[in-house]
Amino acid sequence: MTTGRNRRRRSRPERRRRPMPYESGANLGGWLVQENWLLPNVLLFRLGPADIRDNQEWDYIQRMCQRGIDAVGSMRRHWASYLGEDDSYDLLTASEPPPMLRRLRSAGVTRLRIPVGYWAFEPPVLPGCVGQLQADASESPGQPTVPGVGAPSPPPVFSSAGPVLRSLSSAGLTSDGFVTGSALYLAALLRLLQPLGMRCVIDMHSLPGGSVKHMGYTGRYFDEARAFDGARAWYEASRNVSSSGTTGAKTGNGLGPGPSKAHPFLKRTVAALDTLAALVAELDAAPETAGVVAAVAPWNEALFMDNVKAAEELPVFTLAMVPRIRKRLPEDR
């Protein structure tokens, strides 16, 4: 006997759900943003007594500088060899995908999540550690300072390297003390994904002043997250300029005005994201990297467990920043 409940269930039209696209992915943690728990054999990552508070990428670089180690050269060697079988592997000169990528692809991985830090999109202010520069200058006046630094051109495999990639290839230290030049290695990896039919998501893991506080994946420990401070004032200014029909008039780049100097961390945050979007657009136009970047994540766990600040700043920052990114990376690209 059929109950009324069963009759009602049968009488409903069958629901048909659209199939969701599914991709198997892997995360390249510890490569362009170093986290000490991912690199347990690196002693200089573990000298600080306060765990994540003083054992992040920035601390690692400072400790190398204090010990006379070429921090810039060391970081570039890490970026170059990370995907190889040993330290001799050089991502910049590789003509074929490394074994690690091939193994991931054979396991069914089609997407890579690549964490990056804001320092990849800022220029160097010094070619190396200050103490090393002074020592080298006293021994060899007028000669190049720290070995392995400078502004190398992209290698020949980048047949159509554009001005954005070239501007980000210079090796040195940022005003914050991070090593620059990792964007060149990011581009080198992207050209090796295409032959494997793989794509990636570029994830901005850290922003100037901190996009999240008290975390161990931001390159440097932040007691307060200040990357979005001033977002509401910037959003309101952007709306006013847009409504007056003068968008882009103050910048000449069609993106509209950036944040004011009164909010320096926000200003640098927007500049870093602008540069990331410009780089992705440039790579998308190059034959060897066209279509490889599937998505960009402008921030990672922003203002996590910082609820009041998140409610005040993240919505307006998103409303101002995402359309700005879309001008370079349209949704239908």
Side-chain angles (χ1 to χ4, degrees), residues 119-251:
W119 49 89
F121 309 100
E122 292 191 334
V125 298
L126 288 172
C129 302
V130 174
Q132 293 172 340
L133 295 177
Q134 293 172 345
D136 289 345
S138 63
E139 294 175 6
S140 305
Q143 298 300 313
T145 52
V146 182
V149 305
S153 298
V157 291
F158 293 97
S159 59
S160 54
V164 180
L165 180 57
R166 292 184 181 277
S167 71
L168 297 175
S169 300
S170 299
L173 296 178
T174 68
S175 59
D176 287 351
F178 285 99
V179 175
T180 63
S182 60
L184 181 60
Y185 296 81
L186 172 64
L189 173 64
L190 298 190
R191 68 182 170 82
L192 298 179
L193 296 184
Q194 196 179 67
L196 296 175
M198 300 175 74
R199 303 180 74 194
C200 75
V201 175
I202 299 177
D203 181 273
M204 186 70 91
H205 240 47
S206 184
L207 291 169
S211 53
V212 62
K213 64 182 181 181
H214 303 164
M215 290 297 173
Y217 52 73
T218 50
R220 186 175 187 175
Y221 188 84
F222 295 100
D223 285 307
E224 294 293 334
R226 302 180 62 189
F228 308 109
D229 287 3
R232 181 167 295 279
W234 176 48
Y235 170 67
E236 294 296 341
S238 299
R239 286 185 63 191
N240 292 338
V241 170
S242 179
S243 62
S244 68
T246 57
T247 301
K250 294 184 179 181
T251 62

Side-chain angles (χ1 to χ4, degrees), residues 37-59:
W37 70 276
L38 291 172
L39 301 165
N41 296 327
V42 181
L43 179 61
L44 290 184
F45 254 125
R46 304 194 168 275
L47 295 185
D51 197 27
I52 62 172
R53 182 178 287 273
D54 53 11
N55 286 298
Q56 299 204 37
E57 181 170 326
W58 183 87
D59 304 285

Side-chain angles (χ1 to χ4, degrees), residues 80-119:
S81 62
Y82 187 77
L83 296 172
E85 299 290 289
D86 53 49
D87 289 345
S88 65
Y89 180 79
D90 189 347
L91 181 64
L92 292 184
T93 58
S95 58
E96 295 184 354
M100 181 185 293
L101 278 187
R102 293 185 181 278
R103 287 196 295 268
L104 288 173
R105 188 65 187 90
S106 65
V109 171
T110 56
R111 294 289 186 273
L112 292 180
R113 177 175 180 258
I114 306 176
V116 296
Y118 67 88
W119 49 89

